[in-house]
Amino acid sequence: MGTPMLKAMLRGLFAHKLRLILSALAIVLGTAFMSAAFVSGDTISRGFTDLFSTVNENIDVQVTGKSDVPVNPAGGEGLVTALVPQSIVDKLKTVDGAQTVTPQVVSDGARVIDKNGKAIATTGAPRLGGAWVDGDPAVEIREGNPPRAADEVAITANLAKTGEFKVGDTIEVITLQPRQKFKVSGIAGYAGGRDSLGGETFVFFTLPVAQELMLGTPGMYSNVDIKAASGVSDGELKRRVETAIGTTEYKTLTGQETADAQASGIQSFLNVFKIALSVFGILGLITGAFLIFNTFSMLIAQRTRELALYRSFGASRNQVLNSVLLESILLGLVASLIGLGLGVLLGWAMTKLLASSGLPSGSVVLKPAVAIGTLLVGTLITVLAALIPALRASRVAPIEAMRDAARPDKPLRTMTIAGLITLAVGIVLLILRGTKAVDNNVITLGLGSFLIFIGAVMLAPALTRPITGAIGKLVDWAMPGRLGVRNTGRNPRRTALTAAALMIGVTLATGAAVFASSVKAGVTDLFRSDLNADLVIAADFASGPTAGFDPAIINQVKAIPGVTSATAIQSDAVRLNGKDGFASALDVEPSKTLFGLKAKSGDIRDLNAGEVILNDAFATETGLKPGDSTTLVTARGGESPLKVVGILQPNQLVGSPVVSFADAQGFRVPVAQQGYVKVADPSQVDAVRAQMKTLVADNPEVTVTDPSEQLKQSTSFLDLLLNVLNVLLGLTVLVAVLGVINTLLLSVFERTRELGLLRAVGMSRSKMGWMVATESVLISLLGALLGLIVGTGLGIALVKIFGGDFLKLTIPWGFLITALIGAVIAGLVAALLPAIRAARLNVLQAISYE
């Protein structure tokens, strides 16, 4: 491309600065969101890596028990269940090259009660308890003394500040045993002046007390740290340790391997964090692609004569194509650079925000791959969006320079037929997934949803005039409104593409709203229809997986006058018949009334040790039947034989195998998570509730409530998740509003002479603004309506595919109406700048404009 052509292109690029800024802003926002996710995630990840390296710098080799117990999907992996006995510690002391051998006791589950009687919660970090180790270089006493007596503890500075404790105070701690009182003998901190490692709390006991309360077994340890003698490498010491104790029951890692393993434990959370934010960044970029495509399409249409003049002066098709693509490359690259810089600032801000809750942080980490990837993605999406308009520009014939009329749009028939086919294929894929004819979620669900969305976008131009015309009946009684309706249908492709940007956000938000509403409705039906209980003992969700109450309390509840049925439910991840899953312990006879348990086969009764009742799905999957034998593996109890005594009919409240409370003693924690109570007469509920509260008065982690309150707690997480999702999806709506503004501004520029003539024949400035506002609102409503229709359809498909009998299909009409009202408001906001620009046109200059 020659220098004159390049100069002309650059002049065209910078001639309309507002257009340039609005077009670039979509790419800026998308790339900023995407880069911020990786910058903040990588910065926190580096902080954890450095932190664990520092903590483990005095450990050359660490030995832990090798656990083969089921992973708990609900959390609680910090609960140590594979222990190291004293005999192994003694053997490690004899290993050649082991200078010091330090057995440790550390486990999750030490919950301290604050001065208001509530268990101190964290923001997801563990509440650790363990044994104080003299001489540990990673921990130091800042005030007072280490614990020396059985009734003394030391606490970390983080815990002391949170609970406002000081040396000499009496605190209460809940562990594997009920709450006990201790005297604070000292306040500890970590090397480097840290009050905590990552927002966790830590209670230090004496060694025997820690073994009893945190591990549940005297004489056992969670891990053993070994320091190598001079001249012995970490790798060599590890090899010698493995030779001494074997590799079957115990896992041996070097200090660096231990630090890496600890850092990788947090990596899964950070990966989810980065992926979630990146997805919304990509959505913003895709939304911006519609804006870029529309902008370049309109620019090419407006510059037809200019491009034809270039052709008539000797410019080749490739030169015209390259000039438009170069415009898009410059636009995408500059916008991506700005977005990257903004993303680094946002990432730094998010890091500081998370650091305020105790997570480690340091200097901002910007990996080269993140910087290059952000620039490439932002630029590539811009270029791809401009490619079709660029090809259209290269095909402008020189004779077009002599024409005043714009080239007519191509017929919509081909695009409409292609859209119908694409939509039909997407629907067929979802139907196949719904009937389980194809068992590939990625192909059927993901591709099907994508094709439905693309099909809707392709059909949108054909639907533009009918939909906007129907809505426009509300305003076509006046000339400005009638003109606005006609202008919207003048170029259906342009209108549909502008609306498609808004359609993305509305589709996703609506689909999520339908699914979440259906989940809430299903849960509500469970509580109101299937659960036959009046009162509930429930563990506080915020207290973590170790919270609960002694199952034996339910026997005292049964003795309360007026109580007709009661059971506790104790659940944990287990391995049953070689399959990982959940199992529950409960009183079967009362549960027949409380949960409607019925036998499909065998005997449904209270269980003895070594017996199990299977739920229907598990029995069908494994082929087990009454009388068969199987095995149960629990976290603390190891493997034990079980006999199948019965199989339940499908039940939505009890959907896992049921074992006895005796076998449940091998669960991770010896507490029940829920208890359900049926009262004979509604008039007795308040009296029974009062006596139940007395029974659990010393346990701040549980509350006595009723099913309606538990329902609110169960659905509150869905509400929170949906709110977060809608806030993030607001990014796409923001970009869509920018798209409407950009389209209308270009439309005003394109129709300068027409608008001048309207003003000349008597249209006032206010009516001019009315006309532009009508166009803006109609475009926004078109996008919202299409998004609501597609989103509702996809939400219904998700419910039908994944809901089974649990979800109850519910359409959130309030959300749909709110979305339409929001579309009107967004349209009015988007119309402000274009309406002002149109109203301020100089009539004489506009009439003479060519």
Side-chain angles (χ1 to χ4, degrees):
M1 183 166 55
T3 302
M5 191 73 177
L6 177 62
K7 290 182 178 179
M9 180 273 298
L10 291 175
R11 280 198 302 270
L13 182 63
F14 292 103
H16 302 282
K17 296 182 177 58
L18 180 60
R19 179 199 74 198
L20 185 68
I21 293 172
L22 288 172
S23 301
L25 196 54
I27 303 301
V28 169
L29 291 174
T31 51
F33 222 56
M34 186 174 66
S35 58
F38 284 95
V39 167
S40 58
D42 290 338
T43 300
I44 295 173
S45 180
R46 174 72 62 81
F48 272 108
T49 300
D50 294 344
L51 175 62
F52 290 130
S53 296
T54 301
V55 170
N56 293 290
E57 64 182 352
N58 294 298
I59 300 173
D60 294 325
V61 170
Q62 186 176 85
V63 175
T64 58
K66 185 175 289 186
S67 177
D68 188 33
V69 300
V71 175
N72 187 354
E77 287 82 357
L79 298 172
V80 178
T81 56
L83 307 178
V84 181
Q86 182 65 48
S87 59
I88 293 297
V89 176
D90 295 337
K91 186 176 293 187
L92 290 172
K93 291 180 179 179
T94 65
V95 173
D96 183 29
Q99 178 176 320
T100 58
V101 176
T102 308
Q104 302 272 9
V105 174
V106 180
S107 184
D108 193 3
R111 292 93 73 198
V112 176
I113 311 305
D114 65 18
K115 295 181 179 180
N116 295 319
K118 302 292 184 180
I120 294 177
T122 63
T123 55
R127 290 173 292 184
L128 301 173
W132 176 265
V133 177
D134 289 323
D136 187 344
V139 185
E140 58 188 10
I141 287 289
R142 296 179 182 174
E143 299 178 39
N145 300 292
R148 299 304 182 194
D151 63 346
E152 290 182 342
V153 295
I155 58 176
T156 50
N158 176 46
L159 177 56
K161 291 178 181 178
T162 303
E164 298 181 352
F165 299 120
K166 60 183 183 299
V167 174
D169 283 352
T170 297
I171 66 172
E172 294 181 289
V173 186
I174 301 175
T175 56
L176 292 177
Q177 296 185 13
R179 62 198 291 177
Q180 298 182 27
K181 292 183 178 182
F182 297 89
K183 179 182 177 181
V184 178
S185 64
I187 296 176
Y190 294 95
R194 298 186 61 89
D195 292 342
S196 73
L197 296 178
E200 85 294 341
T201 61
F202 206 127
V203 179
F204 296 95
F205 306 93
T206 60
L207 176 59
V209 173
Q211 289 173 324
E212 178 184 359
L213 299 185
M214 300 309 305
L215 303 182
T217 308
M220 303 292 279
Y221 304 92
S222 58
N223 58 278
V224 182
D225 299 337
I226 308 173
K227 184 70 176 175
S230 178
V232 180
S233 67
D234 295 359
E236 176 59 23
L237 181 58
K238 174 184 175 180
R239 186 189 65 78
R240 295 178 186 180
V241 168
E242 289 179 336
T243 301
I245 64 174
T247 59
T248 303
E249 298 183 47
Y250 302 99
K251 180 167 59 177
T252 305
L253 299 175
T254 64
Q256 185 59 53
E257 289 171 341
T258 300
D260 293 341
Q262 291 171 338
S264 67
I266 196 66
Q267 197 62 46
S268 58
F269 161 75
L270 294 176
N271 287 340
V272 171
F273 174 77
K274 289 190 286 188
I275 290 172
L277 291 183
S278 298
V279 165
F280 288 103
I282 294 295
L283 286 176
L285 288 173
I286 294 174
T287 306
F290 284 98
L291 169 57
I292 297 296
F293 179 86
N294 224 15
T295 299
F296 274 87
S297 294
M298 296 179 70
L299 292 177
I300 297 307
Q302 292 172 7
R303 294 166 59 193
T304 298
R305 294 187 65 185
E306 174 189 335
L307 296 172
L309 284 172
Y310 290 155
R311 293 294 312 281
S312 63
F313 291 154
S316 66
R317 286 189 174 186
N318 284 338
Q319 284 180 312
V320 174
L321 174 65
N322 292 337
S323 71
V324 178
L325 288 181
L326 186 55
E327 285 187 36
S328 67
I329 290 173
L330 288 174
L331 177 65
L333 184 59
V334 172
S336 299
L337 278 169
I338 297 172
L340 177 62
L342 181 60
V344 172
L345 290 176
L346 288 174
W348 172 82
M350 283 192 285
T351 300
K352 293 301 180 184
L353 179 64
L354 292 172
S356 66
S357 63
L359 294 182
S361 65
S363 57
V364 173
V365 176
L366 176 60
K367 293 182 178 180
V370 173
I372 295 172
T374 299
L375 297 179
L376 283 177
V377 170
T379 304
L380 183 61
I381 286 181
T382 307
V383 172
L384 289 176
L387 181 59
I388 293 178
L391 290 171
R392 191 180 302 155
S394 69
R395 294 169 183 160
V396 174
I399 197 171
E400 297 288 343
M402 306 174 192
R403 297 180 181 174
D404 290 328
R407 290 164 53 174
D409 279 349
K410 294 180 180 179
L412 298 174
R413 179 180 301 174
T414 302
M415 179 181 289
T416 302
I417 293 174
L420 286 171
I421 294 173
T422 304
L423 184 67
V425 172
I427 292 174
V428 168
L429 286 175
L430 289 188
I431 292 174
L432 288 176
R433 178 65 188 89
T435 58
K436 305 297 190 296
V438 177
D439 192 25
N440 189 313
N441 291 343
V442 174
I443 293 178
T444 54
L445 182 59
L447 182 58
S449 301
F450 178 74
L451 290 179
I452 288 174
F453 177 78
I454 295 299
V457 172
M458 296 173 71
L459 287 173
L463 298 173
T464 295
R465 285 183 179 136
I467 293 177
T468 56
I471 301 173
K473 297 293 184 183
L474 299 174
V475 294
D476 68 354
W477 49 270
M479 183 57 67
R482 192 175 308 127
L483 288 174
V485 174
R486 291 180 180 179
N487 288 334
T488 306
R490 178 184 294 185
N491 192 325
R493 276 191 174 87
R494 177 189 303 173
T495 301
L497 284 173
T498 306
L502 180 61
M503 176 182 166
I504 294 176
V506 175
T507 296
L508 294 174
T510 303
V514 171
F515 189 79
S517 298
S518 300
V519 172
K520 289 180 65 174
V523 173
T524 301
D525 271 5
L526 283 179
F527 277 88
R528 293 179 177 174
S529 303
D530 299 342
L531 179 62
N532 186 24
D534 297 307
L535 294 169
V536 180
I537 307 176
D540 185 2
F541 178 78
S543 294
T546 56
F549 60 94
D550 185 352
I553 287 178
I554 213 69
N555 293 323
Q556 301 176 54
V557 172
K558 292 177 181 178
I560 297 175
V563 173
T564 58
S565 299
T567 185
I569 298 181
Q570 186 177 354
S571 300
D572 194 16
V574 301
R575 184 172 296 125
L576 183 59
N577 201 54
K579 296 181 65 63
D580 285 357
F582 279 97
S584 299
L586 52 82
D587 294 314
V588 178
E589 289 299 332
S591 298
K592 293 179 180 179
T593 300
L594 293 165
F595 311 129
L597 299 187
K598 296 180 180 178
K600 180 177 181 180
S601 61
D603 191 11
I604 305 301
R605 56 171 173 76
D606 286 334
L607 297 173
N608 300 313
E611 294 180 335
V612 62
I613 296 174
L614 302 179
N615 58 305
D616 179 60
F618 189 89
T620 301
E621 186 177 0
T622 59
L624 292 172
K625 58 185 182 300
D628 288 349
S629 297
T630 184
T631 56
L632 172 72
V633 180
T634 57
R636 295 186 185 276
E639 183 174 322
S640 58
L642 289 182
K643 180 182 178 181
V644 180
V645 299
I647 297 175
L648 294 171
Q649 288 185 10
N651 188 288
Q652 296 183 16
L653 291 168
V654 180
S656 62
V658 178
V659 299
S660 67
F661 282 106
D663 290 313
Q665 291 181 2
F667 288 0
R668 282 174 172 79
V669 291
V671 295
Q673 290 79 31
Q674 298 98 25
Y676 295 91
V677 178
K678 179 65 178 175
V679 180
D681 192 312
S683 63
Q684 298 175 295
V685 169
D686 290 340
V688 173
R689 186 201 302 263
Q691 294 188 60
M692 289 173 61
K693 286 184 176 181
T694 301
L695 292 176
V696 296
D698 64 340
N699 189 339
E701 296 182 303
V702 299
T703 56
V704 178
T705 181
D706 54 56
S708 62
E709 287 297 321
Q710 192 181 27
L711 173 61
K712 290 180 182 178
Q713 295 178 10
S714 300
T715 58
S716 60
F717 177 73
L718 284 173
D719 294 331
L720 176 63
L721 185 64
L722 198 58
N723 289 336
V724 171
L725 183 65
N726 286 333
V727 168
L728 293 174
L729 288 175
L731 170 70
T732 61
V733 176
L734 173 61
V735 176
V737 170
L738 296 176
V740 175
I741 295 173
N742 203 31
T743 297
L744 291 177
L745 281 174
L746 288 172
S747 179
V748 168
F749 174 78
E750 184 180 58
R751 293 150 45 199
T752 298
R753 188 173 186 181
E754 173 189 326
L755 296 175
L757 288 171
L758 289 174
R759 291 279 287 116
V761 298
M763 179 175 280
S764 65
R765 289 184 174 181
S766 61
K767 290 182 178 180
M768 184 74 71
W770 182 355
M771 179 184 71
V772 174
T774 299
E775 295 180 48
S776 180
V777 170
L778 286 176
I779 293 173
S780 298
L781 281 174
L782 175 64
L785 280 172
L786 291 176
L788 291 175
I789 294 170
V790 177
T792 301
L794 291 177
I796 292 173
L798 289 174
V799 172
K800 294 297 184 182
I801 290 172
F802 296 110
D805 296 326
F806 177 71
L807 302 187
K808 180 182 179 182
L809 179 60
T810 303
I811 305 299
W813 295 108
F815 175 87
L816 303 187
I817 294 172
T818 302
L820 289 177
I821 295 173
V824 173
I825 295 174
L828 292 173
V829 171
L832 287 175
L833 189 58
I836 292 173
R837 188 179 182 91
R840 290 180 176 176
L841 285 174
N842 183 285
V843 177
L844 294 178
Q845 290 179 354
I847 292 175
S848 61
Y849 179 84
E850 293 185 3

